[in-house]
Amino acid sequence: EDTGRRSDGAEFPVFVAVEPMSSGEKQMFTAIVRNIADQKSAEQVRAQAKAKEETDKILSAIDQGLFLLYREGKRFRIGGQYSKAAERVFGIGELGGRDFLSTLAGRIPEAPLKSAESYLDLMFKESVHAGSLKDLNPLAEVPITVTTEDEIRTKNLEFTFSRVMKERKVEHLMATVADVTEARQLREQILENEQKAQTQMERLFRILHIDPAMLAEFIEETRLDLAVVDALLRRETEEAALSSQLETMFRSVHKVKG
């Protein structure tokens, strides 16, 4: 394959085939030159269709929201190609072409929304080092209100942004968004459990520092009180005496608690 050039200077793809042939002592060559512009065009269309099919499969398979952000003046537009998970995470369909910040307006707190505009503006400035912006992301974890047919609920989303460069210019941003609601709840549960464990350990240490004789007395009295309760629960009692029996158990349990 090679490139041909017309008289007007326009180039086009050609296929050249050369075959040697002999006629007596003369050595000659037969050549075929064919314009393959239509063939190349058809191959490109097929390649583009295959690439789009593969891209669609990838975007439908990943479980995170994935989309591109383009800057248009002061607006940041969501690209037309995005993962299917993005609609689920945002709680909104047909994200392509929407203004990113307008999509979040009224659904996340005002402070991070205002900061996000300045942050994205800096992300599109090549003079600002991307590494220095990593810890400044106001949307690193943000609560968002999601409205469905059945309910209105709040979940936590985590956004990340990275630059896509072309000829040392920021062409657009690659954005990812993930629902981290369950992870946040798990962290809070772990923290709560750690605090409970810490409280229980503090109580245990306080018990260990009690005078041994006093602790032994408490354990013995508790054992006797619980034995009384156990005996009462095992006893067959007439209905008329149940109230009195319950009061006796209550006093024993209240004493242990105190």
Side-chain angles (χ1 to χ4, degrees):
E1 293 184 14
D2 207 334
T3 303
R5 180 170 299 160
R6 297 189 179 92
S7 57
D8 59 2
E11 294 184 346
F12 60 95
V14 296
F15 175 79
V16 182
V18 180
E19 183 72 21
M21 61 179 293
S22 300
S23 176
E25 296 180 353
K26 293 182 179 180
Q27 182 71 28
M28 297 181 292
F29 295 89
T30 346
I32 297 175
V33 180
R34 182 162 58 90
N35 186 334
I36 56 172
D38 292 341
Q39 177 183 330
K40 282 292 183 182
S41 177
E43 289 176 356
Q44 289 175 357
V45 169
R46 285 195 296 271
Q48 289 171 358
K50 184 177 180 181
K52 186 179 185 306
E53 181 183 0
E54 292 176 350
T55 301
D56 290 342
K57 287 181 179 178
I58 293 172
L59 292 177
S60 62
I62 60 177
D63 59 358
Q64 283 190 335
L66 181 67
F67 56 95
L68 299 177
L69 278 183
Y70 296 88
R71 183 170 186 172
E72 296 178 351
K74 294 185 177 181
R75 298 175 68 249
F76 301 96
R77 179 178 58 83
I78 299 175
Q81 293 290 316
Y82 54 86
S83 66
K84 293 300 180 183
E87 294 184 353
R88 184 183 71 252
V89 174
F90 270 96
I92 296 178
E94 299 299 331
L95 289 171
R98 286 178 177 264
D99 178 60
F100 176 63
L101 296 178
S102 297
T103 303
L104 296 177
R107 306 176 67 213
I108 69 172
E110 190 67 23
L113 182 65
K114 289 182 178 179
S115 300
E117 184 175 0
S118 302
Y119 174 77
L120 293 176
D121 182 59
L122 292 174
M123 285 293 292
F124 273 93
K125 290 184 177 179
E126 296 83 5
S127 58
V128 182
H129 191 266
S132 63
L133 297 173
K134 186 176 180 180
D135 296 330
L136 301 179
N137 181 5
L139 302 179
E141 187 172 333
V142 63
I144 185 170
T145 303
V146 177
T147 304
T148 63
E149 295 179 357
D150 302 325
E151 60 179 349
I152 298 176
R153 64 188 184 94
T154 300
K155 59 184 181 180
N156 293 85
L157 300 185
E158 180 183 67
F159 290 88
T160 59
F161 304 93
S162 58
R163 291 169 171 170
V164 178
M165 309 293 291
K166 185 177 182 180
E167 297 178 356
R168 297 185 179 182
K169 296 289 184 181
V170 180
E171 187 174 30
H172 50 260
L173 301 181
M174 175 73 75
T176 61
V177 55
D179 186 345
V180 294
T181 307
E182 291 184 2
R184 182 182 179 86
Q185 291 173 347
L186 182 60
R187 288 199 304 270
E188 292 175 350
Q189 184 64 48
I190 291 173
L191 180 60
E192 182 181 349
N193 291 340
E194 289 176 349
Q195 291 173 344
K196 286 182 178 179
Q198 180 65 24
T199 302
Q200 291 170 353
M201 287 299 295
E202 290 174 357
R203 289 175 180 171
L204 177 61
F205 284 131
R206 285 201 295 270
I207 291 173
L208 292 174
H209 286 83
I210 292 175
D211 180 71
M214 184 183 295
L215 181 59
E217 181 183 354
F218 165 75
I219 292 173
E220 179 61 20
E221 289 185 0
T222 299
R223 187 185 66 78
L224 292 173
D225 283 318
L226 294 179
V228 170
V229 172
D230 184 60
L232 291 172
L233 288 172
R234 294 174 184 274
R235 181 186 302 172
E236 292 186 6
T237 309
E238 296 181 0
E239 187 174 349
L242 288 176
S243 179
S244 174
Q245 182 174 320
L246 182 60
E247 289 179 5
T248 303
M249 289 190 292
F250 174 79
R251 284 194 299 270
S252 295
V253 174
H254 187 69
K255 181 181 175 184
V256 173
K257 181 178 77 71

